[in-house]
Amino acid sequence: MTSCEAFVAQRANTFRTHSNCMLRRHNSDGPDDSINTTRALLESMFLLEEEPTSSTIDDLDRAGATSRLSGTKRRRLEREKGILELLASSSSDEAISLMWEHWYGERGAGPKETLDSVSKLIQSMSPAALELAASKLDTCIAEHEDWAEPVNQLALIRFFEGKYSESEVLCGRVLKLKPWHFGARSGLAACFQKQGDVARAQAEAALGLPPLGETRSTGGKVFNPRKAWVGKMIREMDLRKKFGL
């Protein structure tokens, strides 16, 4: 099985893993022009192999988004950052479960219950249940426009339905909100693979969460891809927090 084919298989496995984890644990104004400018600059920095240049940082300082994060959103980001840092540690498996729990529950108990019910519907895999789940997610997305996880779950449903182009768009929306969302990244790679775009599937797979451990570059340098990935995502998160995105 190629790496991209593995992503397709992993897409279903990823859902089952985090869905089971969640079930076990179960018991605005639009952006102004300056925020759009800042967001575009941040997105231009999001290539894992590149470090932000001093000129890009200067551009971000000049952009100076006018809005700032609310206390609640700042606290959510701080918790997410702590979990993200654990992904580079020996507690990585636990961190993955904690991250899924955080993504499900970051809008409170009520919205989390909605996602838990959606997970149960998706597990049945029946067409009627999937559409009922999609309807619930549409409502959730309308009520929480910048909440990534309902969009990710809708992408999963469309993927299971064979609507790969629609799922691709939804995965892209998730990654604009959370570039570190490893579930959406693997989903995007799987969508491209299913549509026969192997090159783009491989490119997206390369941006996904790397395995733990050290490796050796073609130049012979030993490095840790997981730590490098986590470091890049932490910098992305810090910039978003600083500029209120």
Side-chain angles (χ1 to χ4, degrees):
M1 182 181 288
T2 68
S3 60
C4 290
E5 288 170 339
F7 259 94
V8 175
Q10 186 186 32
R11 182 61 170 157
N13 289 336
T14 298
F15 163 71
R16 283 191 288 270
T17 299
H18 82 255
S19 178
N20 289 338
C21 170
M22 298 314 303
L23 291 174
R24 286 196 302 271
R25 293 173 182 270
H26 178 68
N27 335 33
S28 147
D29 292 332
D32 60 21
D33 290 341
S34 64
I35 295 178
N36 287 331
T37 300
T38 308
R39 189 183 301 278
L41 288 164
L42 286 170
E43 289 171 356
S44 73
M45 296 167 63
F46 183 63
L47 286 176
L48 185 58
E49 66 275 13
E50 295 181 359
E51 293 295 328
T53 64
S54 58
S55 62
T56 304
I57 298 297
D58 290 343
D59 287 343
L60 280 167
D61 286 334
R62 283 193 294 270
T66 56
S67 72
R68 289 294 180 263
L69 297 179
S70 67
T72 299
K73 188 169 183 178
R74 186 175 293 275
R75 286 190 293 273
R76 287 201 303 260
L77 267 178
E78 283 298 326
R79 182 172 188 273
E80 193 163 353
K81 180 180 176 180
I83 299 170
L84 189 58
E85 290 172 337
L86 286 175
L87 288 174
S89 73
S90 58
S91 302
S92 174
D93 288 345
E94 180 184 0
I96 288 173
S97 294
L98 287 172
M99 189 65 88
W100 282 116
E101 182 178 8
H102 173 74
W103 287 337
Y104 263 62
E106 62 183 332
R107 293 308 170 92
K112 179 183 178 297
E113 287 180 5
T114 299
L115 288 193
D116 286 341
S117 69
V118 164
S119 292
K120 293 177 182 178
L121 288 168
I122 294 175
Q123 283 186 318
S124 79
M125 292 298 289
S126 74
L130 290 178
E131 278 312 304
L132 177 58
S135 177
K136 287 176 175 282
L137 290 170
D138 283 336
T139 300
C140 204
I141 291 166
E143 293 175 350
H144 306 276
E145 292 182 357
D146 62 344
W147 186 16
E149 198 49 39
V151 183
N152 184 56
Q153 294 302 306
L154 186 56
L156 186 68
I157 290 172
R158 298 311 181 211
F159 184 88
F160 286 153
E161 292 175 333
K163 299 175 182 178
Y164 305 122
S165 179
E166 188 174 342
S167 182
E168 171 197 333
V169 171
L170 291 166
C171 286
R173 284 178 59 184
V174 176
L175 291 168
K176 279 187 175 294
L177 292 168
K178 294 182 184 289
W180 50 88
H181 198 298
F182 44 79
R185 184 69 66 185
S186 67
L188 190 55
C191 288
F192 287 135
Q193 176 71 13
K194 283 291 190 179
Q195 293 176 91
D197 194 337
V198 177
R200 292 185 73 183
Q202 290 174 337
E204 290 299 329
L207 292 173
L209 182 66
L212 287 169
E214 294 182 338
T215 188
R216 193 176 295 275
S217 69
T218 54
K221 182 180 179 181
V222 176
F223 71 105
N224 189 312
R226 174 69 71 88
K227 285 185 178 180
W229 185 93
V230 168
K232 182 69 176 180
M233 298 303 106
I234 292 293
R235 290 193 294 274
E236 170 80 12
M237 188 178 286
D238 285 344
L239 284 168
R240 286 168 179 256
K241 184 170 66 175
K242 178 178 179 181
F243 292 98
L245 299 176

